[in-house]
Amino acid sequence: MTATDLRMRGYRDADLPRLTDTFAGWIAQAGSCGYDHVGEVPHRIYENLRGRPVGELVQLWERDGGIVGLAVNGRFGNAFDVFTAPGLRGGGAELAMLRSAADTTAGQTDEGAVLTDVFDCDTTRIELLERLGFARFRTWDHVNERDLREAVEESRLPDGFAVRSARLVDADQLAAVRNHSFGTSWTGDLYRSAVMTEPGYDPAHEIVVEAPDGRIAAFAVCWLDRRNRIGHFEPVGTHRDFQRRGLAGAAMRHAMRWMAGLGMTRVTVNHDAENVAARRLYASLGFQKRHETYGYRRAIDTVRPARSR
């Protein structure tokens, strides 16, 4: 199959169920390397794009009515992701998807380069990126996994703290805990409209730890791939006023016991390779590093001329 056999169009909210089913099928066929977890799809489309127009920044490629590719452009301003059906990996179709995503992202940012990341095991994608002039510049994430068939301890919380699922009325608190965890600038209204009321999000899957004063002290969002029986956390955070009390770990233990009860056999979580605190937290919960992802970048001035061809 060549790029001319494909039809590209903008993503629509109604596409998400079919898209995540397709994504789970790719993982079942080819494994997680190069795909990550189905939960990354809504997370990257909605939470990472933070209310920006998904119809312009998210692209689907189709053939004969089936989805064969996905690009999420403009993540964090100048990063993009491309996911390609297993049968198209390494060929002209995947190369065209990467070119298109680099072009789209270059047109959305004032930064000097466009970025993407790739699994250490994905030699096919690495070769294509290097053919397009991208160069590796850092280790991006550690990809960690835990077997849920092994016992998970019950959560232990300091007196007065409680673990529960999120509610729509928590939007202001959920925005605040993200800002304190990651240095972002969410408002409650934006988090509610861009994430909580969008497809894929279920407040029952956002596990929070509530402090005695009513503030949300920590949170862990969990995602389920029922076809492949894999759980996933993204994101996980703790308000800076409540760090070093084991609260994020308590939320994750609670969620892992719940996931195991639903039949998940393993769970994954990724973290920035330079985040030592996250590495220690996940190791303490029984996670082991399975892969790394590498950051690749290319200068914008080498991308933009391709837009006129």
Side-chain angles (χ1 to χ4, degrees), residues 85-120:
L88 300 185
R89 297 299 317 278
E94 184 174 13
L95 199 65
M97 293 177 194
L98 290 167
R99 285 197 181 106
S100 174
D103 249 8
T104 302
T105 299
Q108 296 287 328
T109 182
D110 295 326
E111 299 290 335
V114 289
L115 316 176
T116 191
D117 67 329
V118 56
F119 273 67
D120 54 3

Side-chain angles (χ1 to χ4, degrees), residues 68-283:
V68 295
L70 164 69
V72 183
N73 304 297
R75 291 180 64 219
F76 315 116
N78 65 331
F80 67 87
D81 297 312
V82 170
F83 304 101
T84 307
L88 300 185
R89 297 299 317 278
E94 184 174 13
L95 199 65
M97 293 177 194
L98 290 167
R99 285 197 181 106
S100 174
D103 249 8
T104 302
T105 299
Q108 296 287 328
T109 182
D110 295 326
E111 299 290 335
V114 289
L115 316 176
T116 191
D117 67 329
V118 56
F119 273 67
D120 54 3
C121 52
D122 193 352
T123 55
T124 298
R125 175 60 57 84
I126 289 171
E127 179 183 352
L128 291 180
L129 288 172
E130 291 177 350
R131 282 174 59 186
L132 290 171
F134 285 79
R136 176 179 166 182
F137 70 100
R138 62 163 286 186
T139 300
W140 195 303
D141 273 352
H142 287 178
V143 180
N144 309 285
E145 183 180 297
R146 189 195 194 280
D147 191 335
L148 284 178
R149 292 166 295 191
E150 298 176 357
V152 180
E153 294 181 2
E154 291 189 37
S155 298
R156 298 189 185 95
L157 290 167
D159 289 345
F161 288 80
V163 62
R164 62 171 174 84
S165 294
R167 302 182 290 252
L168 289 177
V169 295
D170 291 324
D172 289 343
Q173 290 282 352
L174 293 170
V177 70
R178 278 163 170 74
N179 295 341
H180 283 271
S181 298
F182 309 127
T184 50
S185 56
W186 286 99
T187 65
D189 286 344
L190 180 59
Y191 186 68
R192 185 184 299 105
S193 64
V195 179
M196 299 185 82
T197 58
E198 292 290 1
Y201 180 85
D202 184 341
H205 294 186
E206 179 154 10
I207 307 303
V208 304
V209 176
E210 186 176 296
D213 63 5
R215 286 187 290 169
I216 292 178
F219 71 98
V221 179
C222 37
W223 304 92
L224 303 175
D225 178 349
R226 295 179 186 270
R227 176 168 182 174
N228 297 292
R229 300 173 67 191
I230 307 169
H232 184 62
F233 289 106
E234 181 62 58
V236 176
T238 305
H239 192 293
R240 62 170 172 255
D241 291 349
F242 298 98
Q243 292 176 353
R244 300 184 183 277
R245 302 192 199 185
L247 302 180
M252 292 179 70
R253 285 190 182 94
H254 178 91
M256 285 192 288
R257 290 168 66 88
W258 171 71
M259 290 179 187
L262 292 175
M264 303 300 109
T265 59
R266 53 194 169 106
V267 60
T268 56
V269 65
N270 306 342
H271 69 81
D272 188 304
E274 298 176 356
N275 190 332
V276 175
R279 185 188 315 161
R280 290 173 177 164
L281 168 63
Y282 302 141

